[in-house]
Amino acid sequence: MSVLMIEAFCGGSHKQLLDLLQEEIEGCSVFTLTAKKWHWRARTAALYFTQTVPPSDNYRVLFTSSVLNLAELVALRPDLAKLKKVLYFHENQLVYPVRKSQERDFQYGYNQVISCLVADVVVFNSAFNMESFLTGIGPFMKLIPDHRPKDLEKLIRPKCRVLYFPIRFPDVTRFLPAHKLCQTPQMTGVQDIDDGEGLDGLIALQKYKHDNELMRNSSSVLEPHPAEKQEGLSSPSESLEELKHIKKSEGTSAYHGGEDKEHLAFNLCSRLSCNSEENYNVASQYKPLHIVWPHRWLEAVHCGCHPLCPKALVYPEIFPEMYLYATAQQLFKKLQNFCKRPDLIRRKPVEVNLARFSWVVLRGKFRSLLAAEAKEDL
């Protein structure tokens, strides 16, 4: 088992990521603590894992989240210090909100800073998460009364990279109303086909849409969709075959050429969409608007929700300007208009690039991250 995975707080998104990686990555040895008493996990988990993780000559990579005090662990276990240490930030304690009645506990943020100093690779789930942490180190260290450490951001930043949290998007078509069935969010872009894994993801996403199309038209499989009769559009099966043909041509100039790659991306964008106007149910414009506060936005949009998010934190990184509001008054006006005319958002497909967060696209990057060789002294 070459990958040692340690999670001090195995619940929520922490558990979701660990379960996915354990299932998809071969050679994993996993050690966890339950998602209880978060503060105590951050304080004492390193000592616990020091005693419970057995020594092994097979370990090459150590993967853990920033809840664990990595510096304490590798100090107490020199054998683990030799591994390639990957630290994943679901959130960071330099900007994580605290209750107004409480002061921010310096120790938790400090633990994350020194964990970054001993890690070989520091991975964040968003650019906002990374930048807010790195730029917050300087002001945070000024809380120390004297003898403050210097230039920590410069030491840590070269190790950092952004790798979005991977999602397995389920097939939700049987739960969607008729007017949502043809509103396919943008699932591709030029940056998503930079490597073979990205193209594999596009093939999987196209096949996913093709299968859904067959299910929706099971009574008349041989009859093409009205949108497919339009000039210049081919059937989903033809698009799938084209993708497979491109996959076979990897390494050729037609695949790696910038112009051809850009053309491919935009061509796929058009083929992965359909004419929602033709399938829009006029009666749906009179149905009431349902408003939800989903904890998982990335899944909410996939399930057909129209996003409306604050123009702050990580949201501008994910959603285009049209889905953001800057003030409470703007939020009120948008909701008021939507409630008066629900069809305004029901008729329009959501234009959010979900492919960036799809496991089929991110799989290769995570595998590369965890398949790296250990240090030479091993």
Side-chain angles (χ1 to χ4, degrees):
M1 296 183 180
S2 62
V3 181
L4 173 62
M5 295 185 175
I6 297 178
E7 179 52 67
F9 192 79
C10 194
S13 60
H14 294 238
K15 184 178 187 301
Q16 184 178 345
L17 177 60
L18 205 66
D19 290 344
L20 177 58
L21 294 180
Q22 184 180 4
E23 181 178 342
E24 295 284 345
I25 306 295
E26 296 182 359
C28 295
S29 182
V30 181
F31 296 86
T32 66
L33 282 170
T34 55
K36 297 179 180 179
K37 302 184 184 301
W38 176 90
H39 299 87
W40 283 105
R41 297 289 191 254
R43 293 182 183 120
T44 65
L47 180 58
Y48 170 80
F49 288 120
T50 296
Q51 298 179 336
T52 56
V53 175
S56 173
D57 293 333
N58 295 325
Y59 298 145
R60 291 294 180 268
V61 178
L62 169 60
F63 179 87
T64 186
S65 76
S66 60
V67 174
L68 179 72
N69 189 326
L70 183 59
E72 287 184 353
L73 178 68
V74 299
L76 295 169
R77 286 287 300 271
D79 59 317
L80 300 182
K82 297 178 181 181
L83 307 180
K84 176 187 175 183
K85 299 170 289 296
V86 180
L87 186 67
Y88 192 88
F89 273 75
H90 294 264
E91 63 280 314
N92 78 77
Q93 292 301 313
L94 301 191
V95 298
Y96 197 81
V98 296
R99 295 181 181 178
K100 293 183 179 180
S101 59
Q102 297 177 338
E103 292 185 1
R104 186 178 302 278
D105 193 313
F106 179 84
Q107 190 63 44
Y108 303 125
Y110 181 77
N111 288 355
Q112 291 187 333
V113 172
I114 62 173
S115 292
C116 289
L117 290 172
V118 301
D120 296 297
V121 183
V122 183
V123 185
F124 294 83
N125 62 355
S126 70
F128 169 79
N129 194 8
M130 181 177 72
E131 289 300 325
S132 63
F133 179 79
L134 292 174
T135 58
I137 292 176
F140 181 76
M141 287 298 169
K142 290 182 180 179
L143 296 174
I144 302 175
D146 55 11
H147 303 290
R148 303 182 185 101
K150 300 179 180 179
D151 299 327
L152 297 184
E153 180 185 349
K154 293 181 180 179
L155 295 174
I156 296 173
R157 183 176 285 275
K159 306 177 181 183
C160 297
R161 59 180 295 190
V162 175
L163 197 52
Y164 289 116
F165 189 93
I167 300 292
R168 276 178 173 165
F169 290 107
D171 179 8
V172 296
T173 52
R174 63 193 180 99
F175 301 108
L176 296 178
H179 63 275
K180 290 288 185 181
L181 288 177
C182 278
Q183 297 186 5
T184 305
Q186 183 181 348
M187 296 295 288
T188 185
V190 175
Q191 71 274 17
D192 300 323
I193 57 173
D194 286 339
D195 52 35
E197 288 289 345
L199 189 58
D200 282 338
L202 293 177
I203 293 174
L205 291 171
Q206 176 69 355
K207 184 177 184 302
Y208 165 78
K209 182 181 183 297
H210 178 218
D211 293 342
N212 292 341
E213 190 76 12
L214 291 178
M215 289 193 334
R216 292 198 298 267
N217 299 284
S218 57
S219 60
S220 56
V221 176
L222 299 179
E223 179 67 22
H225 190 279
E228 295 168 10
K229 297 179 180 179
Q230 298 180 35
E231 183 178 358
L233 291 183
S234 60
S235 67
S237 59
E238 291 173 344
S239 298
L240 179 58
E241 290 302 318
E242 179 181 348
L243 280 174
K244 291 180 178 178
H245 174 72
I246 296 170
K247 177 62 178 175
K248 293 179 181 178
S249 304
E250 284 184 13
T252 65
S253 59
Y255 172 72
H256 290 286
E259 294 182 0
D260 290 334
K261 184 168 69 172
E262 184 175 355
H263 172 73
L264 168 64
F266 286 101
N267 189 38
L268 290 177
C269 283
S270 65
R271 296 193 180 201
L272 287 172
S273 63
C274 59
N275 192 340
S276 59
E277 291 292 336
E278 294 187 10
N279 293 277
Y280 177 69
N281 185 358
V282 178
S284 67
Q285 65 180 300
Y286 300 107
K287 295 180 180 179
L289 182 70
H290 296 275
I291 302 176
V292 297
W293 277 262
H295 185 59
R296 301 296 177 199
W297 47 261
L298 179 48
E299 291 93 331
V301 173
H302 175 68
C303 291
C305 290
H306 182 99
L308 186 54
C309 307
K311 193 175 183 179
L313 304 175
V314 73
Y315 296 109
E317 182 180 343
I318 301 166
F319 298 106
E321 180 75 19
M322 69 184 80
Y323 303 116
L324 305 177
Y325 63 87
T327 66
Q329 185 62 22
Q330 288 182 3
L331 171 62
F332 174 79
K333 288 183 177 180
K334 285 179 177 290
L335 287 177
Q336 186 180 50
N337 291 336
F338 291 159
C339 289
K340 290 180 179 178
R341 291 285 307 279
D343 59 301
L344 291 178
I345 54 176
R346 285 183 175 141
R347 295 172 69 96
K348 189 174 183 180
V350 176
E351 299 178 10
V352 178
N353 184 359
L354 299 181
R356 295 180 295 165
F357 313 102
S358 172
W359 169 249
V360 295
V361 172
L362 294 171
R363 175 175 51 199
K365 296 180 181 179
F366 273 96
R367 285 182 173 175
S368 298
L369 181 71
L370 299 179
E373 294 295 330
K375 292 184 177 179
E376 293 181 359
D377 57 354
L378 282 178

